[in-house]
Amino acid sequence: MMKKTISAIIILALITTVLAGCKSNNITSSTPSGGTQVSSRPSYSTNITVYMPVEYVDENVLRDFEIEFNVSVTLVEFDSNEEMYEEAIETSIYDVLVPSDYMIDRLIQEGYLTKLDHSLLPNMAYVSEQYMSPEYDTNNDYHIPYMVGTLGILYNRRLLQISSWEDMFKTDGILMVDSERDVVGIALKMLGYSMNSTDDDELLEASQVLENARRNIRGYYESTFIIDMITAQEAFIGVVYSGDGKLGVDLNSSLAYIIPDEGSNKWTDSFVIPASSKNIELAHAFINFMCSPNIAIRNMSAIGYTSPVSDAWSEFASNIIMFPIDDELARCETFVHSNQIVEKHNRVWTILRSR
């Protein structure tokens, strides 16, 4: 999953006078036990570069991190996991990445990540066990979960009746998310196949579904653009990620977000540190800071997604988009990585987008 837009670089400037008053290392912070302690925080006086999807963090949180640690944060934003992969392996400027599960799997397999030092991550204790130890990183050596969610359909419920991917593909004016794994996966799921299928016959059927729906697909866009169009009633149906779905419903009461009957993708986006990072200790400090419950609450409020930090859930527990029922999640599956999946799904996607 990921929120995707045109790449941009946002450099958050430090305010000198504020920093001058924050040189003291005595910082009050929360502890995994739920209490508070006065701890000695190092003053790094350096820069950290974080690479994540757009609008995926409360920027005031980044400013607070800058002040607390006497650093500057450069936030670089990307369109897709695939774009992130190409950029991250070709450069050495990034200290923290926020990819999705299947892409983390790939980065681990190809040796692009550094192992985490858990002694520098005490706030790991706040992260719910249900999101830890996935098959691709059973010892949590390389990742710490940041946000979780689903892929679904946002539509105007006063104009349309939609319950499935099949319903959606029959509807005119679809705004489709611009994501290779998601789009190919949707077609496979509609047909009753795994979103990770590498079966040539199943992928041929999926490509035919997408080709047949071409006349109903208005275009391929990033998820935040889709919610802008639908909330403004310039479109009436689109494929979005759950956080954008929540924001859309919050903005327009005529809208609904659903996980289709056939099921969908459930994803986890996590913090990882590339092996090329030149600021390993500061990267750990950033990840640990972001796992604090109060920071998780602020980020959830700002972006609409669900943090795996369980102490942050009580304020949002009634929201069914952020916390789907078990039956809905049971219909969903997680993307995995293999070279065969990359090759075969990319082939379907390339043909689809070239026409």
XYZ file of all heavy atoms in Angstrom, residues 19-100:
638
model
N 16.179 26.483 18.504
C 17.214 25.492 18.763
C 18.165 25.951 19.855
O 18.666 25.150 20.637
C 18.008 25.211 17.482
C 17.275 24.421 16.398
C 18.146 24.286 15.167
C 16.874 23.065 16.926
N 18.422 27.245 19.873
C 19.352 27.750 20.878
C 18.848 27.450 22.278
O 19.642 27.241 23.207
C 19.528 29.259 20.692
N 17.525 27.399 22.428
C 16.959 27.124 23.742
C 16.772 25.650 24.012
O 16.269 25.275 25.055
N 17.195 24.813 23.052
C 16.969 23.368 23.206
C 18.275 22.600 23.283
O 18.332 21.419 22.984
C 16.145 22.845 22.023
S 14.495 23.552 21.962
N 19.352 23.250 23.645
C 20.638 22.589 23.720
C 20.723 21.632 24.885
O 21.518 20.708 24.895
C 21.765 23.630 23.845
C 21.901 24.543 22.621
C 22.367 23.768 21.395
C 22.616 24.710 20.224
N 23.059 24.012 19.036
N 19.902 21.840 25.889
C 19.939 20.955 27.045
C 19.529 19.551 26.645
O 18.627 19.346 25.857
C 18.965 21.462 28.122
O 18.833 20.508 29.141
N 20.224 18.555 27.187
C 19.937 17.173 26.862
C 18.920 16.545 27.800
O 18.614 15.364 27.681
C 21.222 16.338 26.891
C 22.127 16.681 25.721
O 21.651 17.132 24.702
N 23.416 16.481 25.895
N 18.374 17.289 28.747
C 17.379 16.733 29.659
C 15.994 16.837 29.026
O 15.405 17.901 28.988
C 17.402 17.489 30.998
C 18.667 17.193 31.763
O 19.216 16.109 31.652
N 19.137 18.167 32.534
N 15.525 15.715 28.501
C 14.260 15.679 27.772
C 13.303 14.748 28.497
O 13.652 13.620 28.845
C 14.463 15.167 26.330
C 15.541 16.014 25.609
C 13.160 15.160 25.570
C 15.120 17.430 25.344
N 12.063 15.200 28.723
C 11.049 14.335 29.310
C 10.398 13.519 28.202
O 9.938 14.076 27.218
C 9.985 15.164 30.035
O 10.623 15.908 31.058
C 8.928 14.259 30.640
N 10.374 12.194 28.354
C 9.826 11.336 27.305
C 9.054 10.190 27.912
O 9.264 9.820 29.053
C 10.958 10.775 26.423
O 11.802 9.944 27.201
N 8.147 9.620 27.077
C 7.382 8.468 27.537
C 8.244 7.225 27.512
O 9.214 7.141 26.766
C 6.147 8.266 26.651
O 6.533 8.080 25.328
N 7.901 6.259 28.332
C 8.624 5.001 28.387
C 7.672 3.862 28.084
O 6.460 4.008 28.194
C 9.218 4.770 29.793
O 8.139 4.598 30.707
C 10.072 5.937 30.229
N 8.196 2.684 27.650
C 7.320 1.570 27.324
C 6.410 1.145 28.460
O 5.377 0.539 28.237
C 8.317 0.451 26.957
C 9.511 1.188 26.455
C 9.584 2.433 27.297
N 6.762 1.460 29.685
C 5.907 1.084 30.802
C 4.723 2.018 30.973
O 3.823 1.768 31.749
C 6.726 1.079 32.098
O 7.204 2.381 32.375
N 4.737 3.119 30.213
C 3.623 4.055 30.253
C 3.892 5.261 31.128
O 3.112 6.207 31.155
N 5.001 5.262 31.862
C 5.327 6.403 32.711
C 6.176 7.407 31.969
O 6.235 7.421 30.756
N 6.855 8.272 32.688
C 7.751 9.234 32.071
C 9.092 9.159 32.762
O 9.221 8.717 33.893
C 7.218 10.685 32.189
O 7.075 10.998 33.574
C 5.899 10.828 31.469
N 10.104 9.586 32.035
C 11.427 9.624 32.626
C 12.181 10.811 32.062
O 11.887 11.289 30.975
C 12.192 8.327 32.327
C 12.531 8.156 30.850
C 13.392 6.942 30.612
O 13.767 6.241 31.546
N 13.732 6.690 29.367
N 13.160 11.293 32.784
C 14.043 12.334 32.272
C 15.282 11.637 31.759
O 16.006 10.981 32.509
C 14.405 13.354 33.370
C 15.379 14.369 32.809
C 13.149 14.044 33.877
N 15.504 11.712 30.455
C 16.610 10.985 29.848
C 17.571 11.950 29.175
O 17.222 13.064 28.827
C 16.075 9.986 28.827
O 15.384 10.665 27.806
N 18.764 11.488 28.972
C 19.783 12.299 28.315
C 19.762 12.000 26.829
O 20.043 10.878 26.408
C 21.162 11.970 28.896
O 22.154 12.724 28.254
N 19.365 12.994 26.023
C 19.303 12.814 24.585
C 20.525 13.438 23.935
O 20.867 14.583 24.214
C 18.040 13.482 24.019
C 16.746 12.830 24.464
C 16.527 11.508 23.718
N 15.316 10.840 24.188
C 14.102 11.105 23.731
N 13.927 12.041 22.841
N 13.065 10.435 24.188
N 21.197 12.728 23.046
C 22.353 13.311 22.361
C 21.920 14.428 21.418
O 20.812 14.417 20.897
C 22.928 12.130 21.579
C 21.776 11.197 21.395
C 20.937 11.351 22.630
N 22.785 15.399 21.224
C 22.554 16.484 20.274
C 23.426 16.195 19.060
O 24.645 16.322 19.121
C 22.920 17.835 20.909
O 22.692 18.882 20.013
N 22.805 15.763 17.951
C 23.573 15.258 16.816
C 24.148 16.348 15.930
O 25.188 16.170 15.311
C 22.698 14.334 15.975
C 22.347 13.046 16.678
C 21.168 12.934 17.412
C 23.185 11.953 16.614
C 20.836 11.751 18.067
C 22.867 10.761 17.264
C 21.698 10.677 17.986
O 21.378 9.510 18.638
N 23.451 17.504 15.838
C 23.907 18.618 15.006
C 24.252 18.147 13.598
O 25.324 18.426 13.067
C 25.112 19.316 15.649
O 24.757 19.862 16.885
N 23.341 17.407 12.997
C 23.573 16.885 11.659
C 22.248 16.847 10.912
O 21.279 17.476 11.327
C 24.229 15.487 11.719
O 24.573 15.079 10.390
C 23.293 14.461 12.347
N 22.194 16.107 9.831
C 21.008 16.037 8.996
C 20.614 14.584 8.791
O 21.465 13.694 8.731
C 21.307 16.684 7.635
C 20.118 16.635 6.701
O 19.114 17.292 6.932
N 20.233 15.844 5.646
N 19.316 14.327 8.712
C 18.823 12.992 8.391
C 17.870 13.108 7.214
O 17.067 14.048 7.131
C 18.131 12.337 9.613
C 17.712 10.897 9.292
C 16.950 13.159 10.081
C 17.171 10.152 10.498
N 17.969 12.168 6.280
C 17.117 12.175 5.091
C 16.189 10.971 5.129
O 16.646 9.830 5.197
C 17.967 12.150 3.807
O 18.858 13.268 3.815
C 17.079 12.234 2.573
N 14.885 11.256 5.085
C 13.852 10.226 5.197
C 13.098 10.145 3.871
O 12.682 11.167 3.326
C 12.874 10.549 6.346
C 11.788 9.491 6.439
C 13.634 10.677 7.668
N 12.909 8.927 3.369
C 12.277 8.697 2.073
C 10.965 7.940 2.303
O 10.970 6.768 2.675
C 13.229 7.871 1.211
C 12.985 7.878 -0.275
C 12.297 8.905 -0.909
C 13.489 6.849 -1.067
C 12.111 8.901 -2.286
C 13.311 6.835 -2.447
C 12.623 7.864 -3.040
O 12.435 7.864 -4.416
N 9.846 8.621 2.103
C 8.541 8.007 2.361
C 7.493 8.543 1.392
O 7.726 9.540 0.698
C 8.099 8.233 3.805
C 7.849 9.671 4.195
S 6.858 9.824 5.731
C 7.826 8.927 6.933
N 6.314 7.915 1.335
C 5.238 8.419 0.485
C 4.773 9.805 0.952
O 4.953 10.176 2.106
C 4.118 7.379 0.667
C 4.822 6.158 1.129
C 5.957 6.632 1.962
N 4.160 10.529 0.045
C 3.720 11.886 0.334
C 2.595 11.914 1.361
O 1.819 10.963 1.482
C 3.277 12.599 -0.956
C 1.911 12.163 -1.399
C 3.351 14.102 -0.797
N 2.545 13.007 2.123
C 1.484 13.239 3.107
C 1.328 12.044 4.042
O 0.213 11.669 4.401
C 0.155 13.559 2.403
C 0.214 14.838 1.601
C -1.088 15.144 0.881
O -2.111 14.492 1.185
O -1.086 16.016 0.001
N 2.442 11.479 4.436
C 2.430 10.263 5.239
C 2.945 10.500 6.648
O 3.270 9.546 7.352
C 3.267 9.197 4.537
C 2.770 7.783 4.721
C 1.410 7.489 4.824
C 3.669 6.727 4.758
C 0.965 6.182 4.980
C 3.235 5.420 4.905
C 1.879 5.153 5.017
O 1.438 3.854 5.172
N 2.994 11.761 7.044
C 3.477 12.108 8.379
C 2.957 13.496 8.716
O 2.764 14.340 7.831
C 5.022 12.071 8.430
C 5.645 13.124 7.532
C 5.536 12.209 9.859
N 2.712 13.728 9.984
C 2.386 15.071 10.467
C 3.686 15.871 10.464
O 4.620 15.557 11.198
C 1.808 14.961 11.884
C 1.425 16.310 12.485
O 1.872 17.351 11.959
O 0.698 16.313 13.486
N 3.761 16.897 9.642
C 5.015 17.638 9.520
C 5.418 18.316 10.823
O 6.602 18.570 11.067
C 4.923 18.642 8.376
C 4.879 17.970 7.015
C 4.895 18.957 5.877
O 5.199 20.144 6.121
O 4.596 18.544 4.744
N 4.463 18.607 11.687
C 4.813 19.165 12.998
C 5.568 18.148 13.850
O 6.382 18.515 14.700
C 3.550 19.631 13.732
C 2.947 20.869 13.103
O 3.663 21.765 12.665
N 1.629 20.914 13.024
N 5.298 16.873 13.629
C 6.052 15.823 14.305
C 7.518 15.881 13.885
O 8.426 15.745 14.711
C 5.442 14.434 13.988
C 6.424 13.313 14.309
C 4.150 14.235 14.764
N 7.757 16.083 12.597
C 9.135 16.189 12.125
C 9.837 17.391 12.743
O 11.007 17.312 13.133
C 9.169 16.297 10.601
C 8.612 15.112 9.818
C 8.840 15.318 8.329
C 9.225 13.804 10.274
N 9.114 18.492 12.857
C 9.718 19.684 13.472
C 10.056 19.432 14.938
O 11.089 19.875 15.446
C 8.766 20.872 13.325
C 8.551 21.298 11.877
C 7.767 22.595 11.760
N 7.524 22.920 10.367
C 6.391 22.655 9.718
N 5.407 22.056 10.349
N 6.260 22.990 8.455
N 9.173 18.714 15.619
C 9.450 18.392 17.026
C 10.680 17.504 17.158
O 11.475 17.654 18.091
C 8.245 17.701 17.655
C 7.087 18.660 17.898
O 7.305 19.881 17.780
O 5.976 18.192 18.187
N 10.834 16.566 16.215
C 12.028 15.714 16.241
C 13.279 16.561 16.016
O 14.308 16.367 16.691
C 11.932 14.628 15.169
C 13.149 13.757 15.089
C 13.340 12.716 15.995
C 14.122 13.976 14.122
C 14.472 11.911 15.939
C 15.255 13.184 14.054
C 15.425 12.147 14.961
N 13.199 17.483 15.083
C 14.342 18.362 14.804
C 14.763 19.124 16.062
O 15.951 19.209 16.386
C 13.977 19.361 13.699
C 13.819 18.736 12.333
C 13.462 19.769 11.284
O 12.635 20.657 11.557
O 14.019 19.698 10.186
N 13.787 19.683 16.739
C 14.079 20.481 17.925
C 14.627 19.615 19.047
O 15.616 19.955 19.697
C 12.815 21.242 18.381
C 12.425 22.292 17.337
C 13.033 21.882 19.745
C 11.059 22.901 17.553
N 14.001 18.469 19.246
C 14.397 17.618 20.362
C 15.803 17.057 20.203
O 16.549 16.919 21.175
C 13.396 16.475 20.524
C 13.640 15.636 21.756
C 12.442 14.785 22.140
O 11.298 15.227 21.907
O 12.663 13.698 22.672
N 16.194 16.770 18.965
C 17.504 16.156 18.735
C 18.514 17.107 18.100
O 19.623 16.684 17.774
C 17.337 14.904 17.874
C 16.708 13.756 18.612
C 15.322 13.631 18.672
C 17.482 12.822 19.285
C 14.732 12.588 19.356
C 16.890 11.775 19.971
C 15.517 11.658 20.013
N 18.115 18.368 17.914
C 19.015 19.370 17.337
C 19.554 18.921 15.981
O 20.763 18.892 15.735
C 20.174 19.677 18.291
C 20.974 20.890 17.829
O 20.477 21.746 17.103
N 22.225 20.965 18.249
N 18.635 18.545 15.096
C 19.002 18.087 13.762
C 18.089 18.739 12.737
O 17.127 19.423 13.078
C 18.872 16.550 13.642
C 19.816 15.854 14.605
C 17.430 16.089 13.857
N 18.390 18.483 11.477
C 17.518 18.891 10.381
C 17.024 17.643 9.663
O 17.800 16.716 9.423
C 18.292 19.777 9.399
O 17.487 20.112 8.290
N 15.738 17.614 9.356
C 15.140 16.488 8.636
C 14.855 16.906 7.199
O 14.168 17.904 6.964
C 13.833 16.025 9.301
C 13.177 14.926 8.467
C 14.086 15.529 10.717
N 15.378 16.144 6.256
C 15.013 16.307 4.851
C 14.055 15.186 4.497
O 14.401 14.005 4.606
C 16.242 16.241 3.938
O 17.151 17.278 4.298
C 15.839 16.408 2.482
N 12.845 15.548 4.110
C 11.829 14.572 3.737
C 11.729 14.505 2.224
O 11.421 15.502 1.567
C 10.472 14.956 4.331
C 9.291 14.051 3.973
C 9.496 12.662 4.529
C 7.992 14.650 4.477
N 11.990 13.333 1.665
C 11.872 13.106 0.222
C 10.694 12.170 0.007
O 10.562 11.164 0.708
C 13.158 12.498 -0.357
C 13.072 12.419 -1.875
C 14.376 13.316 0.071
N 9.840 12.475 -0.957
C 8.592 11.735 -1.151
C 8.592 11.008 -2.492
O 9.134 11.512 -3.477
C 7.412 12.692 -1.055
C 7.348 13.368 0.317
C 6.356 14.502 0.375
O 6.146 15.153 -0.676
O 5.793 14.740 1.445
N 7.982 9.822 -2.514
C 7.996 9.033 -3.754
C 6.599 8.609 -4.177
O 5.654 8.635 -3.398
C 8.918 7.812 -3.616
C 8.608 6.873 -2.483
C 7.600 5.921 -2.592
C 9.348 6.910 -1.302
C 7.332 5.038 -1.562
C 9.083 6.030 -0.260
C 8.078 5.094 -0.389
N 6.510 8.182 -5.448
C 5.237 7.816 -6.059
C 4.814 6.383 -5.778
O 3.631 6.095 -5.667
C 5.310 7.972 -7.585
C 5.439 9.418 -8.008
O 5.046 10.300 -7.240
O 5.935 9.655 -9.124
N 5.771 5.469 -5.741
C 5.438 4.052 -5.630
C 6.601 3.288 -5.034
O 7.744 3.770 -5.024
C 5.098 3.471 -7.011
O 6.263 3.432 -7.826
N 6.319 2.093 -4.570
C 7.381 1.227 -4.063
C 8.430 0.962 -5.131
O 9.629 0.901 -4.833
C 6.783 -0.111 -3.612
C 6.209 -0.049 -2.218
O 6.934 -0.055 -1.240
N 4.895 0.004 -2.133
N 7.980 0.785 -6.362
C 8.915 0.486 -7.445
C 9.836 1.664 -7.723
O 11.044 1.487 -7.946
C 8.135 0.099 -8.704
C 7.484 -1.278 -8.649
C 6.328 -1.385 -7.658
O 5.647 -0.368 -7.405
O 6.100 -2.498 -7.131
N 9.289 2.880 -7.688
C 10.131 4.065 -7.849
C 11.114 4.184 -6.684
O 12.296 4.490 -6.877
C 9.275 5.323 -7.920
C 10.101 6.601 -8.023
C 9.268 7.850 -7.835
O 8.057 7.806 -8.100
O 9.842 8.866 -7.413
N 10.615 3.956 -5.465
C 11.464 4.017 -4.286
C 12.633 3.043 -4.408
O 13.785 3.390 -4.112
C 10.637 3.700 -3.047
C 11.380 3.758 -1.718
S 12.394 2.314 -1.326
C 11.229 0.983 -1.539
N 12.343 1.833 -4.869
C 13.386 0.813 -5.003
C 14.486 1.284 -5.951
O 15.682 1.215 -5.620
C 12.763 -0.492 -5.516
C 13.771 -1.549 -5.882
C 14.328 -2.364 -4.904
C 14.166 -1.731 -7.207
C 15.256 -3.334 -5.234
C 15.091 -2.698 -7.552
C 15.640 -3.492 -6.562
O 16.570 -4.450 -6.901
N 14.101 1.749 -7.129
C 15.092 2.180 -8.118
C 15.958 3.318 -7.586
O 17.173 3.333 -7.753
C 14.396 2.608 -9.414
C 13.673 1.492 -10.143
C 14.609 0.389 -10.630
O 15.792 0.680 -10.876
O 14.152 -0.765 -10.758
N 15.325 4.269 -6.924
C 16.048 5.426 -6.403
C 16.953 5.029 -5.237
O 18.126 5.436 -5.170
C 15.043 6.485 -5.952
C 15.624 7.654 -5.184
C 16.419 8.622 -6.040
O 16.400 8.473 -7.285
O 17.069 9.510 -5.462
N 16.435 4.229 -4.323
C 17.176 3.909 -3.106
C 18.421 3.073 -3.368
O 19.429 3.216 -2.665
C 16.268 3.194 -2.107
N 18.361 2.179 -4.363
C 19.532 1.339 -4.620
C 20.589 2.057 -5.460
O 21.725 1.589 -5.550
C 19.142 0.005 -5.295
C 18.621 0.234 -6.717
C 18.141 -0.756 -4.447
C 18.393 -1.057 -7.497
N 20.198 3.182 -6.065
C 21.137 3.909 -6.913
C 21.829 5.053 -6.190
O 22.810 5.606 -6.687
C 20.421 4.452 -8.156
C 19.980 3.370 -9.130
C 19.214 3.931 -10.312
O 19.071 5.170 -10.380
O 18.764 3.126 -11.150
N 21.314 5.443 -5.015
C 21.902 6.562 -4.291
C 22.225 6.149 -2.861
O 21.795 5.101 -2.392
C 20.934 7.766 -4.243
O 19.810 7.414 -3.422
C 20.445 8.138 -5.632
N 22.978 6.984 -2.184
C 23.354 6.698 -0.793
C 22.978 7.850 0.128
O 23.593 8.051 1.166
C 24.855 6.418 -0.701
O 25.607 7.520 -1.187
N 21.942 8.619 -0.254
C 21.610 9.813 0.528
C 20.566 9.548 1.608
O 20.342 10.381 2.475
C 21.102 10.955 -0.379
C 19.757 10.593 -1.015
C 22.127 11.313 -1.430
C 19.100 11.765 -1.740
N 19.922 8.362 1.585
C 18.795 8.132 2.485
C 19.223 7.416 3.761
O 20.034 6.487 3.743
C 17.703 7.336 1.773
C 17.209 8.030 0.531
C 17.479 7.512 -0.737
C 16.515 9.232 0.625
C 17.047 8.173 -1.876
C 16.079 9.896 -0.511
C 16.353 9.365 -1.760
O 15.934 10.025 -2.889
N 18.629 7.852 4.872
C 18.916 7.247 6.177
C 17.777 6.367 6.670
O 18.001 5.414 7.419
C 19.191 8.350 7.207
C 20.392 9.188 6.823
O 21.482 8.621 6.692
O 20.229 10.413 6.627
N 16.547 6.699 6.280
C 15.374 5.903 6.646
C 14.470 5.802 5.418
O 14.224 6.801 4.740
C 14.585 6.539 7.818
C 13.329 5.722 8.123
C 15.455 6.657 9.061
N 13.989 4.583 5.141
C 13.017 4.355 4.077
C 11.717 3.861 4.699
O 11.721 3.269 5.779
C 13.515 3.290 3.090
C 14.929 3.411 2.521
C 15.253 2.180 1.669
C 15.070 4.683 1.700
N 10.597 4.082 3.976
C 9.302 3.561 4.445
C 8.616 2.818 3.292
O 7.668 3.322 2.693
C 8.407 4.684 5.001
C 7.143 4.088 5.632
C 9.149 5.527 6.028
N 9.079 1.615 2.967
C 8.459 0.818 1.917
C 7.347 -0.069 2.469
O 7.169 -0.207 3.682
C 9.616 -0.058 1.402
C 10.806 0.271 2.264
C 10.314 1.009 3.465
N 6.633 -0.716 1.538
C 5.627 -1.704 1.904
C 6.275 -3.076 2.090
O 7.408 -3.308 1.684
C 4.547 -1.791 0.829
O 3.836 -0.582 0.741
